[in-house]
């Protein structure tokens, strides 16, 4: 294979601040190396030690890794535990009155919930579910607003051994139906409406529509949380109100002890083609991944106020809202709304108000906030912050710098985290007290994670050359299978033609620089072949974003009869949408800029301007839609999670 070429050169480097390292859980690079050496020497023993230190076991495990039927690996399989017990009950003796959740609604209402209060709520709701016949092994779909109740619903399922499947509240009835159907869900937990950015979105109506799509529904129960009090259709034989079934429910509920490998949840990821994939995670291995990453990557301290902005409908909201922070006994912020409502400074206002110490968000959110002006964060007191984090996709170096200087005031390390729905927790990320940072690099794998970059045959590629990102050894938090589709699981993640199915294939391209740092170059699907050069789209996007005029950019390929593929760029400017007479000049300026920054080979053939890019409501750019637009194809894919469907029309034609 011709390797994927790295064309972006980044030379800036930032050492961990001394005061941060002095109090950090892993205080220097040597301590990190020591942990890695332990894992290298005996990786089963390493993970067994972590599992015994982090998890409260009901029945201790004696078997560490069962690898008899790869890739269906099992960890700690003869041990028993309960995840909810590990998140709530364990804290009652020592810090029952510590705030677990600071909830802020879209309209600005603030609610505090202690560990005692949260434990009682979860027990009440767990008992209510049991009284309605929900039991261990049953699948429960959760389609909720981003509120405390969403976490309560997830924890209650975990408490009784039911398998939850959370569906983001922006998905359409068709998407919801597919997930209910595939999971064989017996119950759906929802709300009358959700409120985001001042807008009311129907949830219960969408649930009714989803269930009505097929007569052969498995759903016997719909629990409705009353969020706004709007009038909704009510089916008395199936529907119940949350407040009514919990009213007389006991706040004591013994946890259901389950095997370590008992599925905690399934979470569906939308592939670009075919039906959604139900990623299945275990109880113990998954929980362990969230705990060690909270300690290592977020450097969790008991005094922290942690804020992950992700919705629980995504894996980030599972790992770093619903489970990881609670397992550590942390105080965290949960926010119902969007970054710019009712004012552009809403995120900074929340950090100031609640004295947030750790702020974890997506690059798209950061780039959107850049567009609103560099001076905005300065208007707020962000001095409580000690650590920043980025998640969801690689962060462009210039966006990284803005985040570091304007938000972190050049004193907060940034943990740029690479991981996936399928890995359950961070895989490659900086340990903030130990690792020098390079803008745009996710740096090094966590201890016990054996990441590598290989060619199509599974051979390691040399330093500086791009290839496929793989993980060579099993790890506790990894996906166990795809719900009801073990064959697709094997083909997707452990393909036979890659080292005989022994490596986990991440689906991303990456390279390592001379210092061993990992750089993600984009999805394998997004690698462009331009005149025989294989280029990662991420690097071209970063070059565009480094121009002072550009707020955001997304790059895709389009078939070209001479070059093979042409580079097509979709660009959002920091200023106003350009006038017709300005477009040609700006286009030429940006094309020349890319040529200067990384070489003429990467120069965009076409640049299209928009007021925004097509994003999901979680802020992820939908590149598959851009690929269709670049080729002039009609959009036939599901666009129900798009925040701004109208933008597709604007981007349809070359400027």
């Amino acid at each position: 294979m011709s390797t994927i070429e790295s064309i972006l050169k980044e030379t800036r480097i930032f050492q961990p601040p001394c005061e941060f390292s002095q109090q950090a859980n892993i205080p220097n690079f040597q301590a990190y190396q020591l942990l890695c050496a332990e894992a290298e020497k005996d990786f089963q023993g390493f993970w067994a030690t972590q599992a015994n230190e982090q998890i409260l076991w009901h029945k201790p495990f004696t078997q560490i890794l069962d690898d008899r039927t790869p890739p269906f690996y099992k960890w700690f399989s003869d041990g028993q535990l309960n995840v909810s017990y590990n998140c709530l009950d364990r804290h009652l003796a020592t810090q029952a009155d510590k705030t677990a959740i600071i909830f802020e609604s879209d309209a600005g209402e603030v609610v505090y919930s202690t560990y005692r209060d949260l434990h009682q709520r979860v027990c009440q709701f767990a008992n209510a579910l049991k009284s309605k016949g929900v039991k261990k092994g049953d699948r429960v779909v959760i389609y909720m607003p981003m509120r405390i109740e969403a976490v309560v619903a997830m924890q209650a399922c975990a408490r009784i051994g039911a398998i939850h499947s959370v569906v983001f509240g922006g998905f359409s009835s068709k998407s919801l139906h597919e997930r209910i159907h595939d999971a064989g869900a017996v119950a759906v937990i929802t709300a009358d409406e959700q409120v985001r950015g001042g807008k009311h979105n129907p949830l219960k109506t969408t649930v009714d529509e989803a269930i009505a799509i097929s007569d052969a529904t498995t759903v016997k129960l719909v629990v409705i949380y009353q969020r706004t009090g709007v009038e909704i259709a009510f089916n008395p034989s199936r529907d119940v109100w949350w407040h009514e079934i919990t009213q007389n429910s006991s706040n004591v509920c013994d946890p259901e002890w389950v095997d370590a490998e008992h599925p905690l949840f399934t979470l569906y990821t939308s592939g670009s083609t075919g039906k959604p994939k139900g990623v299945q995670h275990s109880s113990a291995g998954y929980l362990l991944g969230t705990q060690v990453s909270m300690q290592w990557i977020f450097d969790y301290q008991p005094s922290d106020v942690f804020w992950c902005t992700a919705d629980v409908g995504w894996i980030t909201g599972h790992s770093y809202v619903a489970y990881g922070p609670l397992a550590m006994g942390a105080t965290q912020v949960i926010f119902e709304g969007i970054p710019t409502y009712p004012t552009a400074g809403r995120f900074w206002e929340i950090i100031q108000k609640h004295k947030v110490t750790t702020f974890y968000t997506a690059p798209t959110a950061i780039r959107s906030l850049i567009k609103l002006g560099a001076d905005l964060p300065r208007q707020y007191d962000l001095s409580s912050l000690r650590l920043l984090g980025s998640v969801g996709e690689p962060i462009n170096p210039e966006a990284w710098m803005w985040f570091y200087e304007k938000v972190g005031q050049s004193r907060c390390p940034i943990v740029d985290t690479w991981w996936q729905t399928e890995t359950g927790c961070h895989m490659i990320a900086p340990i903030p007290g130990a690792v020098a940072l390079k803008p745009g690099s996710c740096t090094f794998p966590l201890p016990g994670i054996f990441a590598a970059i290989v060619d199509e045959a599974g051979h390691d590629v040399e330093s500086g050359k791009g290839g496929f990102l793989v993980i060579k050894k099993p790890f506790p938090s990894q996906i166990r299978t795809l719900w009801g589709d073990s064959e697709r699981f094997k083909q997707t993640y452990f393909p036979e033609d890659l080292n005989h199915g022994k490596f986990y294939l991440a689906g991303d391209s990456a390279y390592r620089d001379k210092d061993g740092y990992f750089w993600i170059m984009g999805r394998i699907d997004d690698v462009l072949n331009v005149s025989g050069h294989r280029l990662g789209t991420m690097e071209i996007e970063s070059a565009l974003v480094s121009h002072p005029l550009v707020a955001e950019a997304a790059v895709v390929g389009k078939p070209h009869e001479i070059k093979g593929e042409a580079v097509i760029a979709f660009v959002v400017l920091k200023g106003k949408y350009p006038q017709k007479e300005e477009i040609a000049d700006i286009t030429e300026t940006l094309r020349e800029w890319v040529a200067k920054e990384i070489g003429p080979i990467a120069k965009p053939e076409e640049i299209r301007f928009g007021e925004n890019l097509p994003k999901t409501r979680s802020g992820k750019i939908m590149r598959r839609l851009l690929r269709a637009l670049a080729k002039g194809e009609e959009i036939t894919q599901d666009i129900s999670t798009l925040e701004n469907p109208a933008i597709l029309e604007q981007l349809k034609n070359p400027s």
Side-chain angles (χ1 to χ4, degrees):
M1 127 176 176
S2 58
T3 54
I4 302 163
E5 297 174 41
S6 173
I7 46 182
L8 188 72
K9 301 294 175 258
E10 177 56 58
T11 55
R12 291 168 290 193
I13 190 159
F14 298 85
Q15 297 296 334
C18 287
E19 59 276 22
F20 190 100
S21 296
Q22 282 164 1
Q23 53 76 54
N25 296 328
I26 300 177
N28 51 53
F29 197 63
Q30 289 71 32
Y32 162 71
Q33 287 176 309
L34 199 63
L35 282 169
C36 291
E38 279 179 40
E40 189 83 47
K41 190 176 169 187
D42 174 13
F43 93 108
Q44 288 200 37
F46 173 83
W47 282 116
T49 301
Q50 297 301 327
N52 280 318
E53 285 178 358
Q54 301 288 350
I55 293 174
L56 293 181
W57 293 92
H58 177 67
K59 177 190 165 201
F61 61 90
T62 61
Q63 185 177 27
I64 305 168
L65 171 64
D66 180 350
D67 57 1
R68 288 172 296 181
T69 55
F72 300 98
Y73 300 106
K74 296 175 181 174
W75 285 87
F76 325 119
S77 53
D78 61 343
Q80 285 188 334
L81 76 161
N82 182 277
V83 170
S84 175
Y85 182 90
N86 272 272
C87 290
L88 300 171
D89 304 57
R90 72 185 305 165
H91 306 302
L92 295 180
T94 55
Q95 48 178 25
D97 294 322
K98 182 179 180 179
T99 299
I101 294 171
I102 304 166
F103 169 73
E104 181 160 329
S105 76
D106 189 66
E109 169 206 9
V110 177
V111 175
Y112 296 87
S113 177
T114 63
Y115 274 92
R116 180 184 283 111
D117 171 64
L118 194 59
H119 176 262
Q120 289 178 352
R121 288 196 201 200
V122 168
C123 286
Q124 280 180 319
F125 194 60
N127 283 325
L129 288 176
K130 285 202 293 189
S131 74
K132 293 294 176 182
V134 180
K135 60 189 186 301
K136 177 181 170 183
D138 282 346
R139 276 81 64 204
V140 177
V141 164
I142 297 172
Y143 187 66
M144 289 283 287
M146 189 56 188
R147 297 179 66 88
I148 294 176
E149 289 75 16
V151 174
V152 168
M154 294 165 79
Q155 287 281 346
C157 288
R159 197 163 192 88
I160 64 176
I163 303 164
H164 64 68
S165 190
V166 185
V167 179
F168 174 60
F171 274 113
S172 66
S173 55
K174 179 178 176 293
S175 300
L176 179 59
H177 165 78
E178 287 171 346
R179 288 153 174 78
I180 291 170
H181 177 75
D182 194 76
V186 300
V188 178
I189 302 167
T190 189
D192 48 9
E193 291 185 312
Q194 67 175 350
V195 185
R196 292 178 80 249
K199 294 176 184 166
H200 290 227
N201 301 310
L203 294 182
K204 171 61 164 53
T205 304
T206 308
V207 169
D208 289 342
E209 288 168 1
I211 294 172
I213 287 173
S214 167
D215 291 337
T217 181
T218 48
V219 175
K220 305 287 188 286
L221 173 71
V222 176
V223 181
I224 312 140
Y225 170 70
Q226 195 168 45
R227 166 65 183 90
T228 63
V230 68
E231 200 169 312
I232 54 165
F234 196 87
N235 177 347
S237 65
R238 183 197 69 194
D239 300 350
V240 294
W241 287 106
W242 178 304
H243 59 272
E244 288 181 358
I245 61 167
T246 54
Q247 206 168 11
N248 300 311
S249 193
S250 166
N251 60 13
V252 176
C253 176
D254 291 335
E256 180 77 37
W257 304 110
V258 299
D259 294 340
E261 282 295 314
H262 178 74
L264 176 63
F265 64 86
T266 62
L267 182 58
Y268 285 84
T269 66
S270 303
S272 46
T273 56
K275 69 170 189 168
K277 305 191 294 270
V279 171
Q280 182 180 315
H281 276 291
S282 72
S283 295
Y286 168 79
L287 181 68
L288 178 60
T290 68
Q291 289 173 296
V292 295
S293 53
M294 283 292 302
Q295 282 192 319
W296 294 341
I297 306 305
F298 290 128
D299 188 52
Y300 171 68
Q301 307 291 333
S303 56
D304 277 335
V305 177
F306 181 84
W307 182 23
C308 166
T309 65
D311 189 282
V312 290
W314 311 108
I315 189 66
T316 306
H318 280 57
S319 303
Y320 302 112
V321 177
Y323 291 111
L326 297 177
M328 300 315 294
T331 295
Q332 66 170 319
V333 171
I334 291 180
F335 174 48
E336 184 178 35
I338 62 173
T340 52
Y341 177 85
T343 65
R346 184 70 185 274
F347 266 16
W348 317 131
E349 185 192 299
I350 290 173
I351 291 170
Q352 173 180 280
K353 189 191 303 181
H354 304 302
K355 298 193 168 32
V356 171
T357 61
T358 306
F359 178 55
Y360 191 40
T361 195
T364 47
I366 296 161
R367 290 192 294 263
S368 303
L369 292 161
I370 290 172
K371 194 169 180 251
L372 298 171
D375 61 329
L376 198 57
R378 279 202 298 267
Q379 297 170 25
Y380 298 85
D381 179 5
L382 307 182
S383 59
S384 60
L385 288 171
R386 68 180 195 94
L387 185 64
L388 303 173
S390 168
V391 61
E393 61 182 8
I395 183 168
N396 315 103
E398 289 313 311
W400 191 102
M401 287 302 303
W402 185 89
F403 200 27
Y404 182 74
E405 291 173 351
K406 307 299 183 196
V407 180
Q409 298 158 355
S410 303
R411 56 179 178 78
C412 301
I414 297 178
V415 289
D416 177 2
T417 60
W418 177 84
W419 60 297
Q420 300 174 308
T421 302
E422 293 86 348
T423 69
C425 71
H426 304 144
M427 295 285 102
I428 310 175
I431 290 175
V435 171
L437 304 173
K438 295 185 182 185
S441 169
C442 50
T443 70
F444 301 108
L446 273 65
I449 302 301
F450 294 84
I453 296 159
V454 301
D455 62 19
E456 283 162 327
H459 303 125
D460 287 5
V461 302
E462 61 187 276
S463 172
K465 299 286 189 189
F468 299 158
L469 181 58
V470 298
I471 299 172
K472 289 188 170 184
K473 289 186 181 180
F475 51 96
S477 66
Q478 75 187 55
I479 177 175
R480 294 303 194 259
T481 187
L482 290 172
W483 183 262
D485 203 343
S486 54
E487 200 49 46
R488 189 180 181 192
F489 163 70
K490 280 200 297 192
Q491 288 169 4
T492 305
Y493 303 106
F494 294 89
E496 191 61 37
D497 54 1
L498 193 69
N499 199 41
H500 312 291
K502 294 200 173 93
F503 293 167
Y504 169 84
L505 178 65
D508 282 327
S509 58
Y511 75 97
R512 292 181 85 171
D513 66 18
K514 60 181 176 37
D515 302 320
Y517 281 61
F518 281 76
W519 298 78
I520 307 299
M521 301 167 75
R523 298 293 294 165
I524 291 167
D525 299 345
D526 291 337
V527 172
L528 309 183
N529 197 326
V530 182
S531 303
H533 298 266
R534 302 180 80 219
L535 308 176
T537 55
M538 171 65 200
E539 297 194 325
I540 307 171
E541 290 170 11
S542 291
L544 282 161
V545 171
S546 69
H547 191 281
L549 289 174
V550 177
E552 274 195 285
V555 166
V556 298
K558 169 183 170 180
H560 189 282
E561 56 185 24
I562 298 166
K563 298 177 182 177
E565 270 188 295
V567 175
I568 310 296
F570 296 85
V571 167
V572 179
L573 299 175
K574 286 177 180 169
K576 290 180 179 160
Y577 184 77
Q579 301 295 313
K580 244 188 173 120
E581 59 274 15
E582 300 171 306
I583 286 175
D585 286 348
I586 297 173
T587 300
E588 196 50 35
T589 301
L590 294 180
R591 291 181 76 238
E592 291 309 315
W593 176 267
V594 171
K596 182 171 81 65
E597 288 290 294
I598 54 181
I601 192 70
K603 196 189 280 192
E605 190 87 5
E606 229 178 79
I607 297 180
R608 303 186 190 182
F609 297 94
E611 287 164 28
N612 212 319
L613 294 173
K615 294 174 190 171
T616 63
R617 288 180 216 175
S618 65
K620 220 165 190 173
I621 298 169
M622 294 183 76
R623 283 176 171 79
R624 59 188 171 89
L625 296 180
L626 293 177
R627 283 195 287 272
L629 289 173
K631 292 174 189 169
E633 297 170 352
E634 283 302 310
I635 305 289
T636 55
Q637 302 118 310
D638 180 15
I639 58 169
S640 60
T641 57
L642 266 189
E643 185 77 65
N644 49 349
I647 206 70
L648 297 176
E649 198 59 39
Q650 196 179 53
L651 298 170
K652 193 177 273 184
N653 301 309
S655 301

